[in-house]
PDB file of all heavy atoms in Angstrom:
ATOM      1  N   LYS A 299     -23.610  11.123 -16.892  1.00 96.00           N
ATOM      2  CA  LYS A 299     -23.507  11.262 -15.441  1.00 96.00           C
ATOM      3  C   LYS A 299     -22.496  10.267 -14.872  1.00 96.00           C
ATOM      4  O   LYS A 299     -21.679  10.607 -14.019  1.00 96.00           O
ATOM      5  CB  LYS A 299     -24.884  11.064 -14.787  1.00 96.00           C
ATOM      6  CG  LYS A 299     -25.861  12.189 -15.063  1.00 96.00           C
ATOM      7  CD  LYS A 299     -27.230  11.901 -14.467  1.00 96.00           C
ATOM      8  CE  LYS A 299     -28.215  13.007 -14.802  1.00 96.00           C
ATOM      9  NZ  LYS A 299     -29.582  12.689 -14.289  1.00 96.00           N
ATOM     10  N   ARG A 300     -22.562   9.037 -15.360  1.00 97.00           N
ATOM     11  CA  ARG A 300     -21.641   8.016 -14.856  1.00 97.00           C
ATOM     12  C   ARG A 300     -20.205   8.345 -15.263  1.00 97.00           C
ATOM     13  O   ARG A 300     -19.262   8.184 -14.475  1.00 97.00           O
ATOM     14  CB  ARG A 300     -22.050   6.647 -15.386  1.00 97.00           C
ATOM     15  CG  ARG A 300     -21.261   5.489 -14.769  1.00 97.00           C
ATOM     16  CD  ARG A 300     -21.565   5.348 -13.281  1.00 97.00           C
ATOM     17  NE  ARG A 300     -20.751   4.339 -12.649  1.00 97.00           N
ATOM     18  CZ  ARG A 300     -21.036   3.025 -12.661  1.00 97.00           C
ATOM     19  NH1 ARG A 300     -22.130   2.583 -13.308  1.00 97.00           N
ATOM     20  NH2 ARG A 300     -20.256   2.176 -12.047  1.00 97.00           N
ATOM     21  N   LEU A 301     -20.024   8.797 -16.510  1.00 97.00           N
ATOM     22  CA  LEU A 301     -18.693   9.200 -16.982  1.00 97.00           C
ATOM     23  C   LEU A 301     -18.138  10.313 -16.108  1.00 97.00           C
ATOM     24  O   LEU A 301     -16.989  10.235 -15.639  1.00 97.00           O
ATOM     25  CB  LEU A 301     -18.788   9.677 -18.431  1.00 97.00           C
ATOM     26  CG  LEU A 301     -17.538  10.362 -19.010  1.00 97.00           C
ATOM     27  CD1 LEU A 301     -16.389   9.371 -19.135  1.00 97.00           C
ATOM     28  CD2 LEU A 301     -17.863  10.991 -20.372  1.00 97.00           C
ATOM     29  N   ALA A 302     -18.942  11.343 -15.872  1.00 97.00           N
ATOM     30  CA  ALA A 302     -18.488  12.491 -15.087  1.00 97.00           C
ATOM     31  C   ALA A 302     -18.136  12.079 -13.662  1.00 97.00           C
ATOM     32  O   ALA A 302     -17.146  12.550 -13.087  1.00 97.00           O
ATOM     33  CB  ALA A 302     -19.565  13.578 -15.084  1.00 97.00           C
ATOM     34  N   GLU A 303     -18.936  11.203 -13.078  1.00 97.00           N
ATOM     35  CA  GLU A 303     -18.677  10.753 -11.710  1.00 97.00           C
ATOM     36  C   GLU A 303     -17.381   9.949 -11.629  1.00 97.00           C
ATOM     37  O   GLU A 303     -16.549  10.172 -10.741  1.00 97.00           O
ATOM     38  CB  GLU A 303     -19.854   9.906 -11.215  1.00 97.00           C
ATOM     39  CG  GLU A 303     -21.116  10.708 -10.933  1.00 97.00           C
ATOM     40  CD  GLU A 303     -22.290   9.810 -10.569  1.00 97.00           C
ATOM     41  OE1 GLU A 303     -22.076   8.593 -10.378  1.00 97.00           O
ATOM     42  OE2 GLU A 303     -23.424  10.328 -10.484  1.00 97.00           O
ATOM     43  N   GLU A 304     -17.208   9.013 -12.547  1.00 97.00           N
ATOM     44  CA  GLU A 304     -16.051   8.116 -12.499  1.00 97.00           C
ATOM     45  C   GLU A 304     -14.735   8.870 -12.688  1.00 97.00           C
ATOM     46  O   GLU A 304     -13.777   8.682 -11.921  1.00 97.00           O
ATOM     47  CB  GLU A 304     -16.179   7.024 -13.575  1.00 97.00           C
ATOM     48  CG  GLU A 304     -17.315   6.037 -13.348  1.00 97.00           C
ATOM     49  CD  GLU A 304     -17.072   5.121 -12.163  1.00 97.00           C
ATOM     50  OE1 GLU A 304     -15.909   4.771 -11.899  1.00 97.00           O
ATOM     51  OE2 GLU A 304     -18.056   4.759 -11.488  1.00 97.00           O
ATOM     52  N   ILE A 305     -14.667   9.744 -13.687  1.00 97.00           N
ATOM     53  CA  ILE A 305     -13.402  10.416 -13.966  1.00 97.00           C
ATOM     54  C   ILE A 305     -13.123  11.518 -12.950  1.00 97.00           C
ATOM     55  O   ILE A 305     -11.968  11.762 -12.583  1.00 97.00           O
ATOM     56  CB  ILE A 305     -13.401  10.960 -15.422  1.00 97.00           C
ATOM     57  CG1 ILE A 305     -12.020  11.486 -15.795  1.00 97.00           C
ATOM     58  CG2 ILE A 305     -14.463  12.017 -15.623  1.00 97.00           C
ATOM     59  CD1 ILE A 305     -10.925  10.464 -15.795  1.00 97.00           C
ATOM     60  N   THR A 306     -14.168  12.173 -12.430  1.00 97.00           N
ATOM     61  CA  THR A 306     -13.950  13.191 -11.403  1.00 97.00           C
ATOM     62  C   THR A 306     -13.459  12.545 -10.107  1.00 97.00           C
ATOM     63  O   THR A 306     -12.549  13.060  -9.451  1.00 97.00           O
ATOM     64  CB  THR A 306     -15.239  13.992 -11.129  1.00 97.00           C
ATOM     65  OG1 THR A 306     -15.700  14.585 -12.349  1.00 97.00           O
ATOM     66  CG2 THR A 306     -14.990  15.102 -10.113  1.00 97.00           C
ATOM     67  N   ARG A 307     -14.022  11.407  -9.765  1.00 96.00           N
ATOM     68  CA  ARG A 307     -13.568  10.678  -8.571  1.00 96.00           C
ATOM     69  C   ARG A 307     -12.104  10.227  -8.737  1.00 96.00           C
ATOM     70  O   ARG A 307     -11.308  10.336  -7.814  1.00 96.00           O
ATOM     71  CB  ARG A 307     -14.459   9.461  -8.330  1.00 96.00           C
ATOM     72  CG  ARG A 307     -14.077   8.660  -7.073  1.00 96.00           C
ATOM     73  CD  ARG A 307     -14.896   7.402  -6.937  1.00 96.00           C
ATOM     74  NE  ARG A 307     -16.301   7.690  -6.649  1.00 96.00           N
ATOM     75  CZ  ARG A 307     -17.301   7.464  -7.494  1.00 96.00           C
ATOM     76  NH1 ARG A 307     -17.051   6.969  -8.708  1.00 96.00           N
ATOM     77  NH2 ARG A 307     -18.549   7.732  -7.159  1.00 96.00           N
ATOM     78  N   PHE A 308     -11.761   9.742  -9.922  1.00 95.00           N
ATOM     79  CA  PHE A 308     -10.405   9.250 -10.181  1.00 95.00           C
ATOM     80  C   PHE A 308      -9.375  10.373 -10.065  1.00 95.00           C
ATOM     81  O   PHE A 308      -8.328  10.202  -9.447  1.00 95.00           O
ATOM     82  CB  PHE A 308     -10.342   8.608 -11.566  1.00 95.00           C
ATOM     83  CG  PHE A 308      -8.968   8.175 -11.983  1.00 95.00           C
ATOM     84  CD1 PHE A 308      -8.275   7.206 -11.260  1.00 95.00           C
ATOM     85  CD2 PHE A 308      -8.356   8.733 -13.105  1.00 95.00           C
ATOM     86  CE1 PHE A 308      -6.997   6.805 -11.651  1.00 95.00           C
ATOM     87  CE2 PHE A 308      -7.077   8.337 -13.495  1.00 95.00           C
ATOM     88  CZ  PHE A 308      -6.405   7.374 -12.763  1.00 95.00           C
ATOM     89  N   VAL A 309      -9.673  11.530 -10.641  1.00 95.00           N
ATOM     90  CA  VAL A 309      -8.707  12.628 -10.679  1.00 95.00           C
ATOM     91  C   VAL A 309      -8.699  13.440  -9.396  1.00 95.00           C
ATOM     92  O   VAL A 309      -7.635  13.810  -8.886  1.00 95.00           O
ATOM     93  CB  VAL A 309      -8.985  13.540 -11.893  1.00 95.00           C
ATOM     94  CG1 VAL A 309      -8.127  14.812 -11.836  1.00 95.00           C
ATOM     95  CG2 VAL A 309      -8.718  12.790 -13.196  1.00 95.00           C
ATOM     96  N   HIS A 310      -9.886  13.709  -8.829  1.00 94.00           N
ATOM     97  CA  HIS A 310      -9.974  14.647  -7.703  1.00 94.00           C
ATOM     98  C   HIS A 310     -10.371  14.005  -6.370  1.00 94.00           C
ATOM     99  O   HIS A 310     -10.256  14.656  -5.327  1.00 94.00           O
ATOM    100  CB  HIS A 310     -10.959  15.770  -8.026  1.00 94.00           C
ATOM    101  CG  HIS A 310     -10.495  16.681  -9.120  1.00 94.00           C
ATOM    102  ND1 HIS A 310      -9.400  17.504  -8.987  1.00 94.00           N
ATOM    103  CD2 HIS A 310     -10.974  16.886 -10.378  1.00 94.00           C
ATOM    104  CE1 HIS A 310      -9.228  18.193 -10.101  1.00 94.00           C
ATOM    105  NE2 HIS A 310     -10.154  17.832 -10.965  1.00 94.00           N
ATOM    106  N   GLY A 311     -10.874  12.767  -6.399  1.00 93.00           N
ATOM    107  CA  GLY A 311     -11.247  12.112  -5.157  1.00 93.00           C
ATOM    108  C   GLY A 311     -12.734  12.218  -4.851  1.00 93.00           C
ATOM    109  O   GLY A 311     -13.463  13.019  -5.435  1.00 93.00           O
ATOM    110  N   GLU A 312     -13.185  11.399  -3.902  1.00 94.00           N
ATOM    111  CA  GLU A 312     -14.605  11.301  -3.562  1.00 94.00           C
ATOM    112  C   GLU A 312     -15.152  12.609  -2.999  1.00 94.00           C
ATOM    113  O   GLU A 312     -16.271  13.029  -3.334  1.00 94.00           O
ATOM    114  CB  GLU A 312     -14.816  10.170  -2.561  1.00 94.00           C
ATOM    115  CG  GLU A 312     -16.271   9.915  -2.202  1.00 94.00           C
ATOM    116  CD  GLU A 312     -17.104   9.440  -3.377  1.00 94.00           C
ATOM    117  OE1 GLU A 312     -16.557   8.740  -4.258  1.00 94.00           O
ATOM    118  OE2 GLU A 312     -18.304   9.773  -3.423  1.00 94.00           O
ATOM    119  N   GLU A 313     -14.404  13.260  -2.127  1.00 93.00           N
ATOM    120  CA  GLU A 313     -14.890  14.487  -1.504  1.00 93.00           C
ATOM    121  C   GLU A 313     -15.137  15.578  -2.541  1.00 93.00           C
ATOM    122  O   GLU A 313     -16.173  16.263  -2.508  1.00 93.00           O
ATOM    123  CB  GLU A 313     -13.882  14.979  -0.461  1.00 93.00           C
ATOM    124  CG  GLU A 313     -14.362  16.193   0.324  1.00 93.00           C
ATOM    125  CD  GLU A 313     -13.385  16.610   1.411  1.00 93.00           C
ATOM    126  OE1 GLU A 313     -12.542  15.774   1.820  1.00 93.00           O
ATOM    127  OE2 GLU A 313     -13.441  17.780   1.838  1.00 93.00           O
ATOM    128  N   ALA A 314     -14.226  15.735  -3.477  1.00 94.00           N
ATOM    129  CA  ALA A 314     -14.383  16.739  -4.530  1.00 94.00           C
ATOM    130  C   ALA A 314     -15.550  16.386  -5.441  1.00 94.00           C
ATOM    131  O   ALA A 314     -16.293  17.279  -5.894  1.00 94.00           O
ATOM    132  CB  ALA A 314     -13.100  16.860  -5.341  1.00 94.00           C
ATOM    133  N   LEU A 315     -15.748  15.103  -5.712  1.00 95.00           N
ATOM    134  CA  LEU A 315     -16.893  14.684  -6.524  1.00 95.00           C
ATOM    135  C   LEU A 315     -18.196  15.053  -5.836  1.00 95.00           C
ATOM    136  O   LEU A 315     -19.112  15.590  -6.472  1.00 95.00           O
ATOM    137  CB  LEU A 315     -16.840  13.175  -6.777  1.00 95.00           C
ATOM    138  CG  LEU A 315     -18.122  12.570  -7.387  1.00 95.00           C
ATOM    139  CD1 LEU A 315     -18.421  13.174  -8.754  1.00 95.00           C
ATOM    140  CD2 LEU A 315     -18.008  11.045  -7.478  1.00 95.00           C
ATOM    141  N   GLN A 316     -18.297  14.764  -4.549  1.00 94.00           N
ATOM    142  CA  GLN A 316     -19.533  15.066  -3.827  1.00 94.00           C
ATOM    143  C   GLN A 316     -19.827  16.561  -3.823  1.00 94.00           C
ATOM    144  O   GLN A 316     -20.982  16.967  -3.911  1.00 94.00           O
ATOM    145  CB  GLN A 316     -19.458  14.524  -2.398  1.00 94.00           C
ATOM    146  CG  GLN A 316     -19.449  13.017  -2.306  1.00 94.00           C
ATOM    147  CD  GLN A 316     -20.624  12.375  -3.041  1.00 94.00           C
ATOM    148  OE1 GLN A 316     -21.762  12.822  -2.943  1.00 94.00           O
ATOM    149  NE2 GLN A 316     -20.340  11.308  -3.788  1.00 94.00           N
ATOM    150  N   GLU A 317     -18.781  17.386  -3.734  1.00 93.00           N
ATOM    151  CA  GLU A 317     -18.991  18.824  -3.787  1.00 93.00           C
ATOM    152  C   GLU A 317     -19.463  19.258  -5.172  1.00 93.00           C
ATOM    153  O   GLU A 317     -20.350  20.109  -5.297  1.00 93.00           O
ATOM    154  CB  GLU A 317     -17.704  19.567  -3.411  1.00 93.00           C
ATOM    155  CG  GLU A 317     -17.877  21.078  -3.410  1.00 93.00           C
ATOM    156  CD  GLU A 317     -16.800  21.787  -2.622  1.00 93.00           C
ATOM    157  OE1 GLU A 317     -16.826  21.719  -1.374  1.00 93.00           O
ATOM    158  OE2 GLU A 317     -15.940  22.406  -3.260  1.00 93.00           O
ATOM    159  N   ALA A 318     -18.906  18.665  -6.222  1.00 94.00           N
ATOM    160  CA  ALA A 318     -19.346  18.973  -7.587  1.00 94.00           C
ATOM    161  C   ALA A 318     -20.807  18.576  -7.784  1.00 94.00           C
ATOM    162  O   ALA A 318     -21.581  19.304  -8.411  1.00 94.00           O
ATOM    163  CB  ALA A 318     -18.456  18.248  -8.597  1.00 94.00           C
ATOM    164  N   LEU A 319     -21.198  17.428  -7.229  1.00 94.00           N
ATOM    165  CA  LEU A 319     -22.595  16.979  -7.330  1.00 94.00           C
ATOM    166  C   LEU A 319     -23.518  17.909  -6.553  1.00 94.00           C
ATOM    167  O   LEU A 319     -24.619  18.222  -7.009  1.00 94.00           O
ATOM    168  CB  LEU A 319     -22.713  15.545  -6.788  1.00 94.00           C
ATOM    169  CG  LEU A 319     -22.062  14.449  -7.626  1.00 94.00           C
ATOM    170  CD1 LEU A 319     -22.080  13.119  -6.877  1.00 94.00           C
ATOM    171  CD2 LEU A 319     -22.767  14.303  -8.969  1.00 94.00           C
ATOM    172  N   LEU A 320     -23.050  18.380  -5.392  1.00 92.00           N
ATOM    173  CA  LEU A 320     -23.861  19.282  -4.579  1.00 92.00           C
ATOM    174  C   LEU A 320     -24.110  20.602  -5.315  1.00 92.00           C
ATOM    175  O   LEU A 320     -25.248  21.099  -5.355  1.00 92.00           O
ATOM    176  CB  LEU A 320     -23.142  19.542  -3.257  1.00 92.00           C
ATOM    177  CG  LEU A 320     -23.867  20.358  -2.174  1.00 92.00           C
ATOM    178  CD1 LEU A 320     -23.364  19.971  -0.791  1.00 92.00           C
ATOM    179  CD2 LEU A 320     -23.697  21.866  -2.360  1.00 92.00           C
ATOM    180  N   ILE A 321     -23.069  21.163  -5.929  1.00 91.00           N
ATOM    181  CA  ILE A 321     -23.213  22.421  -6.669  1.00 91.00           C
ATOM    182  C   ILE A 321     -24.133  22.205  -7.878  1.00 91.00           C
ATOM    183  O   ILE A 321     -25.010  23.034  -8.165  1.00 91.00           O
ATOM    184  CB  ILE A 321     -21.844  22.943  -7.123  1.00 91.00           C
ATOM    185  CG1 ILE A 321     -20.964  23.273  -5.921  1.00 91.00           C
ATOM    186  CG2 ILE A 321     -22.005  24.192  -7.993  1.00 91.00           C
ATOM    187  CD1 ILE A 321     -19.516  23.583  -6.262  1.00 91.00           C
ATOM    188  N   THR A 322     -23.943  21.109  -8.572  1.00 90.00           N
ATOM    189  CA  THR A 322     -24.763  20.799  -9.743  1.00 90.00           C
ATOM    190  C   THR A 322     -26.235  20.701  -9.363  1.00 90.00           C
ATOM    191  O   THR A 322     -27.110  21.271 -10.035  1.00 90.00           O
ATOM    192  CB  THR A 322     -24.300  19.478 -10.382  1.00 90.00           C
ATOM    193  OG1 THR A 322     -22.935  19.598 -10.787  1.00 90.00           O
ATOM    194  CG2 THR A 322     -25.152  19.118 -11.579  1.00 90.00           C
ATOM    195  N   GLU A 323     -26.528  19.988  -8.287  1.00 90.00           N
ATOM    196  CA  GLU A 323     -27.911  19.819  -7.833  1.00 90.00           C
ATOM    197  C   GLU A 323     -28.515  21.148  -7.396  1.00 90.00           C
ATOM    198  O   GLU A 323     -29.670  21.455  -7.705  1.00 90.00           O
ATOM    199  CB  GLU A 323     -27.952  18.819  -6.674  1.00 90.00           C
ATOM    200  CG  GLU A 323     -29.339  18.569  -6.080  1.00 90.00           C
ATOM    201  CD  GLU A 323     -30.291  17.874  -7.035  1.00 90.00           C
ATOM    202  OE1 GLU A 323     -29.831  17.331  -8.059  1.00 90.00           O
ATOM    203  OE2 GLU A 323     -31.516  17.888  -6.756  1.00 90.00           O
ATOM    204  N   ALA A 324     -27.723  21.966  -6.691  1.00 88.00           N
ATOM    205  CA  ALA A 324     -28.215  23.255  -6.212  1.00 88.00           C
ATOM    206  C   ALA A 324     -28.595  24.170  -7.379  1.00 88.00           C
ATOM    207  O   ALA A 324     -29.640  24.833  -7.359  1.00 88.00           O
ATOM    208  CB  ALA A 324     -27.165  23.920  -5.331  1.00 88.00           C
ATOM    209  N   LEU A 325     -27.762  24.203  -8.399  1.00 85.00           N
ATOM    210  CA  LEU A 325     -28.043  25.063  -9.543  1.00 85.00           C
ATOM    211  C   LEU A 325     -29.193  24.517 -10.383  1.00 85.00           C
ATOM    212  O   LEU A 325     -29.945  25.281 -10.995  1.00 85.00           O
ATOM    213  CB  LEU A 325     -26.791  25.227 -10.407  1.00 85.00           C
ATOM    214  CG  LEU A 325     -25.625  25.971  -9.743  1.00 85.00           C
ATOM    215  CD1 LEU A 325     -24.439  26.074 -10.687  1.00 85.00           C
ATOM    216  CD2 LEU A 325     -26.048  27.360  -9.285  1.00 85.00           C
ATOM    217  N   PHE A 326     -29.352  23.209 -10.421  1.00 84.00           N
ATOM    218  CA  PHE A 326     -30.456  22.608 -11.174  1.00 84.00           C
ATOM    219  C   PHE A 326     -31.801  22.879 -10.508  1.00 84.00           C
ATOM    220  O   PHE A 326     -32.786  23.207 -11.173  1.00 84.00           O
ATOM    221  CB  PHE A 326     -30.225  21.096 -11.312  1.00 84.00           C
ATOM    222  CG  PHE A 326     -31.319  20.390 -12.062  1.00 84.00           C
ATOM    223  CD1 PHE A 326     -31.406  20.487 -13.439  1.00 84.00           C
ATOM    224  CD2 PHE A 326     -32.270  19.627 -11.389  1.00 84.00           C
ATOM    225  CE1 PHE A 326     -32.426  19.846 -14.140  1.00 84.00           C
ATOM    226  CE2 PHE A 326     -33.285  18.983 -12.070  1.00 84.00           C
ATOM    227  CZ  PHE A 326     -33.361  19.091 -13.458  1.00 84.00           C
TER     228      PHE A 326
END
Side-chain angles (χ1 to χ4, degrees):
K299 290 176 182 177
R300 187 66 185 277
L301 170 67
E303 288 175 9
E304 293 291 326
I305 188 63
T306 303
R307 182 185 292 112
F308 175 62
V309 171
H310 292 294
E312 184 64 32
E313 185 176 340
L315 169 62
Q316 292 306 316
E317 182 161 287
L319 291 172
L320 186 153
I321 297 171
T322 300
E323 179 66 15
L325 294 180
F326 179 76

